[in-house]
Amino acid sequence: MVNDALLKAVEDELDGAHCRLRFADDVEARFEADTQRQRSRNMVLAGVISAIIYCLFLINDYSFRPEAFATAVQLRMGVMLPFGLSVLWWVYRGVSPVLRETLMASTVVVATVVSCLIFAKSVAPYSYLDVFSFGLILLVGNIVYSLRFSYACASSAASIVIILAFVLPYEPMPVEAKRLAIFTIIAMGIFSLVANYRFELSERTSYLHVLKEKIRAGYYLKDNQKLSQLSITDPLTNLANRRQFDTVLPVRWKEAIDKGMCMGLMVIDIDHFKAYNDFYGHPQGDICLQQVAKAMHDNSRDADLVVRLGGEEFVVLMVNASSEATNVAAERIRASIEALRIPNFGVSHQAYITVSVGVAVLSPTDDLTPTDLLSTADRALYEAKRQGRNVIRMANLAGSPSDGDAAGDLGRLSR
């Protein structure tokens, strides 16, 4: 099963190398599918906040380099902002994991280039102090965006190379300041990458544990459903059992009252089943019960509840059923079982397995109870047995079989 394979793959990942930031292909695909939507939203939110703060650095540009302020506005508002918002829009709309990480990493690199261009454009005193803030760009990519580690490494390395390319030849900046700034930026890059690695490792490990518990919970739910089904199913015939009947009957009774519908109930008993069991033995008796149960099920409506009450006694509960429709359904079941031609030599060499059926149909009211329906059908069954078996008797509410509706002469078994 798919869940079995996935559970094994998850357990293998948990038992395997704990420092890897890449799962096996099937688990990696599941990981990306489960986390992509929320990750994209988080990245977009982080990107919007970062874009606002990046543009607010115009205040610093105006203070430190008024002669290059126009250039700073053009680069920050005219280049970086449109590029960044476009990337965020694509990510928000949904792109592949690889493209998502690439696009977000590109904003880090482009932001570095723009910042370096603004820095290089100015020769105002102390404007080179901006270089010490360039490490914030690395923090955004590695911590705020929390890029996947490989993309964080690539964008950080590219950004540091770009910064070196602009800072080293910048003459107004003292060598000592350059050395300190470069050391600070590299240190910030390394520290933030360490944190990024730990974040992703923690995220992946937590995901594996959660996924493992979800799969196990699915198994528990499935097992509970099986147990619940077993508790309301007769194990021999796979029909509903008495517990399910006692649960369903009051519910359907209430529904019938609310909707003004009639309910029909057949109580069915296999004729001379004790003689069959005594002659053939209980294992063969179980096979007989299974055959009879299947015939009942196959000749009932999907909406009907076919129940084995116990032993050789069954009931069929029908909703929205008229007297005529219930009687026809009962005859169909009786005839189908007789047509099985299961010999019953325990009675005679000419005898076959048959059933007697007691039928009751009534319109539920608040003055009646579901027990009234069952007891009425049971009395009709008694009358069918008294009249010679292999017959159907339709009863009224008072419990006396209705001669007009009775099918007492249907398929009477010759004794």
Side-chain angles (χ1 to χ4, degrees):
M1 295 178 62
V2 175
N3 279 351
D4 291 333
L6 182 60
L7 179 59
K8 185 178 185 307
V10 170
E11 290 176 340
D12 288 344
E13 292 291 344
L14 287 172
D15 294 338
H18 296 285
C19 59
R20 289 192 303 116
L21 296 180
R22 173 79 187 184
F23 299 140
D25 291 343
D26 52 345
V27 181
E28 185 70 23
R30 179 68 179 263
F31 171 66
E32 288 293 352
D34 289 346
T35 61
Q36 180 171 356
R37 187 174 182 181
Q38 186 60 48
R39 179 167 176 77
S40 295
R41 289 181 176 180
N42 292 342
M43 280 186 148
V44 169
L45 178 60
V48 170
I49 295 173
S50 300
I52 293 173
I53 295 176
Y54 192 81
C55 291
L56 288 177
F57 264 83
L58 286 170
I59 299 173
N60 179 71
D61 296 328
Y62 182 79
S63 301
F64 274 84
R65 54 180 71 86
E67 83 288 356
F69 181 69
T71 301
V73 172
Q74 292 174 355
L75 291 174
R76 291 186 189 275
M77 304 295 291
V79 176
M80 186 63 222
L81 186 61
F83 176 78
L85 293 179
S86 298
V87 167
L88 296 180
W89 174 247
W90 289 335
V91 172
Y92 178 78
R93 291 293 300 271
V95 293
S96 68
V98 172
L99 185 56
R100 177 195 65 214
E101 300 297 322
T102 301
L103 288 173
M104 295 303 293
S106 70
T107 63
V108 175
V109 176
V110 173
T112 302
V113 172
V114 170
S115 297
C116 287
L117 288 173
I118 296 172
F119 157 75
K121 183 68 176 179
S122 175
V123 292
Y126 304 113
S127 64
Y128 60 79
L129 293 177
D130 266 5
V131 175
F132 290 93
S133 68
F134 288 177
L136 294 175
I137 301 175
L138 304 182
L139 291 179
V140 168
N142 300 341
I143 305 299
V144 181
Y145 289 174
S146 194
L147 294 167
R148 297 296 184 216
F149 183 69
S150 58
Y151 292 88
C153 289
S155 62
S156 296
S159 296
I160 291 174
V161 170
I162 292 169
I163 292 171
L164 290 174
F166 278 88
V167 171
L168 291 177
Y170 187 72
E171 294 183 357
M173 186 175 185
V175 175
E176 295 79 7
K178 291 180 182 179
R179 186 184 303 118
L180 178 60
I182 292 172
F183 177 80
T184 302
I185 292 170
I186 292 176
M188 291 179 69
I190 293 173
F191 292 152
S192 59
L193 284 174
V194 171
N196 176 277
Y197 174 86
R198 289 181 174 177
F199 289 159
E200 183 173 350
L201 184 62
S202 176
E203 178 189 9
R204 287 175 173 271
T205 303
S206 297
Y207 174 79
L208 289 176
H209 285 292
V210 171
L211 181 58
K212 181 179 178 180
E213 292 307 313
K214 282 184 177 180
I215 296 173
R216 285 183 170 179
Y219 283 134
Y220 295 149
L221 177 60
K222 187 175 180 180
D223 289 342
N224 287 337
Q225 289 173 339
K226 287 182 178 178
L227 290 174
S228 298
Q229 187 63 31
L230 287 174
S231 71
I232 60 175
T233 302
D234 177 62
L236 178 64
T237 62
N238 287 325
L239 297 179
N241 63 10
R242 181 61 184 260
R243 175 180 294 182
Q244 185 174 356
F245 176 70
D246 290 341
T247 302
V248 172
L249 180 59
V251 175
R252 294 195 177 179
W253 181 271
K254 180 65 167 57
E255 290 176 350
I257 293 177
D258 294 340
K259 297 178 181 179
M261 298 186 304
C262 287
M263 292 187 66
L265 184 68
M266 307 177 210
V267 179
I268 306 170
D269 188 81
I270 300 177
D271 299 324
H272 300 296
F273 188 70
K274 183 179 184 303
Y276 185 93
N277 252 346
D278 291 343
F279 185 86
Y280 293 99
H282 289 286
Q284 189 63 34
D286 289 345
I287 295 175
C288 176
L289 287 171
Q290 291 171 336
Q291 292 175 297
V292 170
K294 185 177 186 304
M296 291 183 189
H297 180 270
D298 292 346
N299 288 277
S300 300
R301 303 177 306 179
D302 291 340
D304 298 341
L305 181 65
V306 185
V307 182
R308 183 189 179 199
L309 283 187
E312 67 272 23
E313 190 172 21
F314 301 81
V315 298
V316 178
L317 179 63
M318 303 177 66
V319 294
N320 195 21
S322 64
S323 296
E324 181 180 359
T326 306
N327 200 49
V328 169
E331 169 57 17
R332 185 170 60 248
I333 289 175
R334 187 208 64 77
S336 69
I337 295 170
E338 187 177 31
L340 293 175
R341 307 294 287 177
I342 302 173
N344 189 355
F345 289 178
V347 176
S348 73
H349 287 284
Q350 291 78 37
Y352 294 95
I353 287 293
T354 60
V355 295
S356 298
V357 186
V359 180
V361 178
L362 57 80
S363 179
T365 65
D366 292 332
D367 296 330
L368 300 173
T369 66
T371 304
D372 295 324
L373 179 64
L374 180 59
S375 60
T376 302
D378 199 52
R379 286 195 295 268
L381 173 64
Y382 176 80
E383 183 65 18
K385 291 286 189 180
R386 190 182 66 81
Q387 292 191 1
R389 299 180 174 83
N390 194 24
V391 297
I392 300 167
R393 291 296 291 172
M394 177 79 72
N396 58 29
L397 182 58
S400 57
S402 171
D403 294 333
D405 291 332
D409 294 329
L410 288 172
R412 184 180 299 277
L413 174 65
S414 298
R415 299 177 59 87

